[in-house]
Amino acid sequence: IDMHSHADGNILEDLDAENSTRQGLTTVVVGQDGESEYPLADFLGKLEKSPPALNVASMVGHGTIRHLAMDPKNQIREATPEEIAKMKQLLAEELKAGPFGLSSGLEYDPGHFATTAEVIDLAKMAGEQGGFYISHVRDEGNHVFDSYDEIIKIGKGGKLPVEITHIKMG
């Protein structure tokens, strides 16, 4: 199982997934770093019609729903309560498609400008559906341990398991 795959970008064009299957992979988890296909139901429907050689599990990308809920020209800021409400609405719709949880890329735009409270609000929804939270943390340098603390806080606040992507210092 590849828990951090970006195969969603080309899985429909590479249905035999030779590079992955030759390495012994049977399953990929896509929708990483806060970016997922939208709408997820359409993407999963295409996979149903043309099944790839791999099993595909998807996350809902926080950055994707944040981008859709906010003015694309003004996302370098905290979201308003109205925008968070829109994110929740979008996430509720996406969760109906059957993803495994919520992903974020807090080191990348637009997720970098999200507050921890914003992400907790959304993580709660994923947790209520039995999902987990996976994140590329906000900082991999001097504040890496603060970033790990933030992910743990999101997991506790959202009442769901968490996975940290790329545990490293860069």
Side-chain angles (χ1 to χ4, degrees):
I1 298 173
D2 181 349
M3 287 295 296
H4 187 87
S5 174
H6 291 279
D8 39 350
N10 69 347
I11 191 88
L12 292 167
E13 290 80 36
D14 184 22
L15 294 174
D16 61 1
E18 279 187 54
N19 287 336
S20 297
T21 55
R22 284 183 182 168
Q23 295 178 55
L25 289 173
T26 59
T27 305
V28 292
V29 181
V30 299
Q32 299 296 330
D33 297 333
E35 294 183 12
S36 59
E37 297 292 322
Y38 181 85
L40 191 53
D42 288 356
F43 172 69
L44 296 176
K46 289 175 185 173
L47 291 174
E48 288 275 330
K49 289 180 184 167
S50 299
L54 293 166
N55 300 307
V56 178
S58 186
M59 306 298 284
V60 176
H62 165 254
T64 298
I65 60 175
R66 191 173 209 273
H67 178 75
L68 292 166
M70 297 176 71
D71 177 353
K73 297 176 185 170
N74 187 17
Q75 296 183 355
I76 312 283
R77 59 177 174 79
E78 290 184 17
T80 66
E82 295 79 21
E83 290 165 334
I84 293 172
K86 177 69 175 170
M87 286 181 229
K88 287 180 176 181
Q89 178 186 359
L90 290 165
L91 179 57
E93 285 300 313
E94 290 296 86
L95 288 171
K96 291 177 185 174
F100 280 63
L102 179 71
S103 80
S104 70
L106 300 179
E107 187 173 46
Y108 309 118
D109 292 346
H112 185 73
F113 299 94
T115 64
T116 304
E118 173 187 316
V119 182
I120 289 172
D121 277 350
L122 298 169
K124 285 178 186 175
M125 294 177 68
E128 289 167 359
Q129 299 292 316
F132 68 98
Y133 172 65
I134 185 170
S135 183
H136 187 118
V137 296
R138 202 175 290 274
D139 186 277
E140 296 176 328
N142 293 336
H143 301 284
V144 68
F145 294 111
D146 295 334
S147 293
Y148 296 166
D149 289 343
E150 179 182 35
I151 298 306
I152 293 166
K153 183 176 182 178
I154 292 166
K156 286 180 179 178
K159 296 185 173 136
L160 74 173
V162 299
E163 180 181 327
I164 299 172
T165 299
H166 313 306
I167 296 179
K168 63 180 181 177
M169 294 180 160

